[in-house]
Amino acid sequence: MSRFLATLFVLAAVFAHANEPQLRLPAEDAILSSRHWLLLRQLEENVVSQNRWAQATAANELLLRAGDSSWVRFAAYSLGVDEATKRSPLSYELRQTYAQRAVTLLATSRKALPQPWSCAQLQAYIIVSNDLLQQEAPNSEPPNDAASALLAWLACGGGPHQPAQVADSYRDYLSLAEGPRRDYLMNKLDFFRTLELD
Amino acid sequence: MMLLTRRFLWQLLDWRGLLFPAVLFLAAAQLSSNHTLGTQSLGDYLALASLAPIWLIYRACDLSHQRLHAQGWADEEVLRSPTKRLPLSEFLAACLALLLLLTLAGAAKSISTPTSTDSPQLSYRALPFQPTDEGHLLRAQTWPNGSQLFLTLHWANLPDPAATISHPDFGSLRPGEMLKINPKLIPANDDGYWVFDFHKIGLSDDQSAPKLATDMSRMAIPRPKGPLVLPLSLLRMAAFFLPLLAAALALVRHTSIRPLLATASTLIFGWMTTWPALDSPASASPIARFVWSASQALPDLSGLLTLGHDWELQYGTTPLSDLLLWLIVFGGIGLVSLLQPRRRPKS
C-alpha cells in the first residue's frame, strides 16, 4: 500500500510538472545550470568563429532557457552594427537581412530582457542606421518600429539610473501637439543616424 | 551509540560515497567560475552542489535498506542488537555526513573561485503582469530586502508635462521617470494581487491617465554580496535537507518501499515547499492545480533552497516562522516516526 501511494505521489508530481513547468522538481535546477553552461560554450564558439546568425540564435536560447540576457544585446549589436552597417564588405541584401534579424531579436526578447531600456535604444539605432523599413516608402514618416522603440526608451527616462536629459526629452515630446511630435521623433532618429556606436 | 554512528558515517563516506561529491564540487566550481569560461553565477554552483545532499539521502536510504533486509554485513550482530539505537545513530551519521559534504562544497568553491566583485549590484527581473479592466495585476509575493519595483508609464496627454502628479497609492509620478516603489509598501487585494491602477491620479480627463508599459517595467533585486553569502546559503540548504533525511530514513525503515522511491517521494515533497505561485492557475491542468494546492499547505521554503540563475530572487525570503515550522514540526514528525519501533512482518 505504501509503495503504491509513494508511486502515485511521484507520478502526480511528475504529471503536474509536465503540465506546468513552473513547478520545479528535484535536481531540475542542476540540469538547467549545466544546460546554461553548455549554451554558453556553444555561444562562445559562435563568437570565435564569427558566425553571427548562430550567435543570435544561441543568445536567444540562453535568454529563454537560462534567463541569461547579457548576450542578447551583444549578439544584436554584432549583427545589426558590426555586420550590417555600410562599412561591412557584405552585400546590401545580406546586410539588410542581418539588421532585420538583430531588430527582431531585440523586439521579441524585450519582454524577457532584464534591462529592456538599453535594448530599445539599440533597436531604434539599428533600424535607423540601416535604413530598415524605409525601402518600402523612402519618403515616409519615421519607421513605426523605430519610433515606438525610441518612445519606449524616452518614456522610461533611458533606464532607472540615467541622467535627467532623457526624461526632459520625453516631457518636451509630451508638451507638443500630435503633428510636431512626429517631427520631434524624426529629429531624434536623425541624430541616431549620425552616431557611431563603436 | 558512538560506535554505531561512526560505523554508519564511514559507510556513507567511503570512497564511493565521496567520489561523486568531490568530482561534482570541482566540476561545479569550474562551471560557475568567474575566471574560466563559467556562468559566473553562485546559483548555478549551488544548483549543482545540491546534488550531493540528494545523493547522500539516497545512499543513506540504500545502506539502511541493506541493513534491514540483507544478512552477513559487517558488525551485524552488534548493530542489530535491540539495546542499541540503530535508527537514531543512522540519522546522526547522515546529518554529520551532510554537514561534512556541505563544508566541502563551501571549501571547493572558496578555493577554486575567490569572491568576485565585478558583477553588477542589481539584478533586474521581468514580472508577469496580468492586464484586467481594473488595471494591471501582479501576484503579491515576498521579495528580498532592498528590492525595488521600477515601472515605466506611457503618457498620452498632459496639461503640464513638467508637473508632478500625485497618486494615492504610489506617491508622485513624473513623466519620463520610472516610478520606483518598495514592494513591501504595496497593499495586496483580497485575492493576493497587487493592483496597478493609474486612473486614480485626479486628472479631469480620463484619457490623460498613463498606461503601464509592462514590457519596460522590472523588479530590481540587490545581488547578495560578501563572505557570508556562500556559507549562509549552504547552511540554509542543510536546514532544508535535514527533515527530509529523517523522513526518507523513516520511510525505508517502516515501509517496504525501495530506497530510490523513498528518496524520490521525500525529495518531491520537500521541493513542493519551493514551488512558486502559478502565474495563471485557471489555465493549468487539474492535476497541476491539485498538486500545487497541496503544496500551498506547506511552509514556504524557497528562501532555503536558492538555486539556479534566479537564486537571488529567493535569497533570505523564508520567514523564521516557516523555518521553525519546517525544522521542528516536519523534522520532528520525521524523527519521531524514525524512532518508532519497527513492526515485524508477520511470518
Side-chain angles (χ1 to χ4, degrees):
Chain A
M1 183 64 181
S2 53
R3 185 178 299 173
F4 172 73
L5 284 176
T7 311
L8 198 66
F9 174 65
V10 170
L11 286 178
V14 171
F15 271 114
H17 172 74
N19 286 300
E20 197 61 52
Q22 200 186 342
L23 307 178
R24 300 188 302 174
L25 285 183
E28 192 182 340
D29 291 293
I31 295 166
L32 291 176
S33 292
S34 309
R35 186 172 173 76
H36 182 188
W37 186 77
L38 289 172
L39 282 169
L40 265 182
R41 295 286 72 68
Q42 190 185 336
L43 185 69
E44 278 162 5
E45 276 173 25
N46 293 326
V47 172
V48 170
S49 62
Q50 298 204 331
N51 186 348
R52 307 295 195 200
W53 200 271
Q55 186 184 330
T57 308
N60 196 36
E61 201 167 345
L62 255 176
L63 174 68
L64 296 177
R65 294 188 184 276
D68 187 346
S69 67
S70 52
W71 294 93
V72 168
R73 193 171 191 273
F74 178 63
Y77 186 93
S78 303
L79 268 175
V81 180
D82 286 347
E83 297 292 340
T85 46
K86 288 170 183 161
R87 289 165 301 162
S88 169
L90 300 173
S91 69
Y92 175 77
E93 288 76 19
L94 196 54
R95 283 194 279 123
Q96 295 292 92
T97 312
Y98 275 13
Q100 190 62 57
R101 174 76 179 102
V103 171
T104 310
L105 176 65
L106 289 171
T108 53
S109 53
R110 188 191 287 177
K111 273 187 183 172
L113 283 167
Q115 298 190 51
W117 34 86
S118 59
C119 293
Q121 185 194 22
L122 181 62
Q123 187 184 343
Y125 173 77
I126 293 172
I127 292 173
V128 172
S129 61
N130 289 290
D131 293 333
L132 287 179
L133 306 179
Q134 292 200 337
Q135 304 160 61
E136 294 168 8
N139 301 317
S140 71
E141 300 281 332
N144 283 335
D145 282 4
S148 60
L150 177 66
L151 199 54
W153 181 67
L154 292 177
C156 66
H161 303 293
Q162 291 298 312
Q165 286 93 327
V166 186
D168 291 340
S169 299
Y170 187 62
R171 286 193 278 271
D172 293 344
Y173 166 84
L174 285 177
S175 64
L176 300 171
E178 196 64 31
R181 282 184 179 184
R182 282 196 166 278
D183 296 338
Y184 185 85
L185 287 181
M186 184 66 162
N187 286 337
K188 286 274 175 196
L189 290 171
D190 268 343
F191 174 68
F192 274 14
R193 218 185 295 262
T194 63
L195 285 179
E196 288 286 335
L197 284 187
D198 281 325
Chain B
M1 183 75 182
M2 286 296 288
L3 173 75
L4 291 170
T5 306
R6 205 169 56 235
R7 283 201 193 280
F8 197 67
L9 182 63
W10 293 147
Q11 270 187 298
L12 279 173
L13 296 181
D14 63 358
W15 70 270
R16 281 167 297 183
L18 273 176
L19 185 65
F20 172 67
V23 172
L24 179 75
F25 295 149
L26 289 175
Q30 287 306 307
L31 185 148
S32 61
S33 164
N34 297 355
H35 305 300
T36 58
L37 298 174
T39 60
Q40 304 185 19
S41 164
L42 182 61
D44 283 336
Y45 180 77
L46 293 171
L48 284 158
S50 71
L51 293 179
I54 292 175
W55 159 251
L56 181 77
I57 290 179
Y58 169 70
R59 193 164 164 74
C61 287
D62 191 35
L63 286 173
S64 181
H65 189 261
Q66 280 177 28
R67 285 176 156 198
L68 286 168
H69 296 96
Q71 301 287 329
W73 37 274
D75 303 310
E76 184 181 356
E77 284 183 14
V78 180
L79 297 181
R80 278 204 192 281
S81 165
T83 58
K84 306 293 182 187
R85 296 204 173 273
L86 181 66
L88 186 60
S89 70
E90 286 180 348
F91 176 66
L92 281 178
C95 289
L96 284 174
L98 177 67
L99 293 176
L100 276 172
L101 282 184
L102 291 180
T103 309
L104 192 63
K109 176 69 176 164
S110 306
I111 292 167
S112 61
T113 52
T115 309
S116 168
T117 53
D118 54 2
S119 57
Q121 297 290 320
L122 289 174
S123 160
Y124 293 95
R125 300 289 161 171
L127 300 162
F129 287 101
Q130 297 171 29
T132 61
D133 292 341
E134 52 175 330
H136 284 85
L137 301 184
L138 182 65
R139 186 172 281 280
Q141 67 176 89
T142 311
W143 292 89
N145 285 334
S147 299
Q148 263 198 317
L149 189 57
F150 287 99
L151 300 179
T152 298
L153 301 174
H154 278 296
W155 299 78
N157 299 299
L158 270 178
D160 178 11
T164 301
I165 296 121
S166 180
H167 188 282
D169 297 334
F170 307 127
S172 56
L173 318 177
R174 272 176 68 78
E177 288 177 19
M178 296 185 95
L179 175 60
K180 297 174 192 171
I181 311 172
N182 181 350
K184 291 191 173 163
L185 302 179
I186 312 175
N189 68 8
D190 294 340
D191 299 328
Y193 283 92
W194 291 328
V195 183
F196 297 95
D197 178 9
F198 291 98
H199 288 92
K200 303 178 183 173
I201 55 176
L203 293 175
S204 54
D205 181 7
D206 196 48
Q207 293 297 316
S208 302
K211 286 183 184 158
L212 180 65
T214 53
D215 60 339
M216 298 289 279
S217 299
R218 294 292 181 267
M219 183 71 82
I221 298 138
R223 198 162 266 154
K225 296 262 186 193
L228 288 179
V229 172
L230 178 62
L232 270 179
S233 300
L234 292 169
L235 204 60
R236 287 177 182 141
M237 197 189 287
F240 174 80
F241 279 108
L242 279 178
L244 297 181
L245 194 56
L249 285 170
L251 269 182
V252 167
R253 185 170 166 76
H254 294 292
T255 65
S256 57
I257 65 176
R258 296 268 174 195
L260 193 61
L261 186 57
T263 309
S265 51
T266 314
L267 286 174
I268 287 175
F269 173 76
W271 245 261
M272 280 167 63
T273 60
T274 70
W275 281 0
L278 290 175
D279 288 340
S280 48
S283 65
S285 72
I287 194 160
R289 272 207 308 274
F290 174 75
V291 182
W292 175 74
S293 307
S295 80
Q296 296 309 292
L298 301 172
D300 176 17
L301 301 182
S302 47
L304 294 188
L305 206 62
T306 50
L307 313 176
H309 69 268
D310 55 357
W311 70 287
E312 56 277 277
L313 295 191
Q314 280 93 35
Y315 185 83
T317 52
T318 294
L320 186 64
S321 55
D322 280 12
L323 174 63
L324 292 176
L325 183 71
W326 176 244
L327 285 177
I328 296 172
V329 177
F330 286 86
I333 291 171
L335 199 58
V336 167
S337 49
L338 176 65
L339 296 180
Q340 290 292 309
R342 183 165 181 263
R343 273 188 237 150
R344 294 277 169 194
K346 289 172 188 172
S347 54

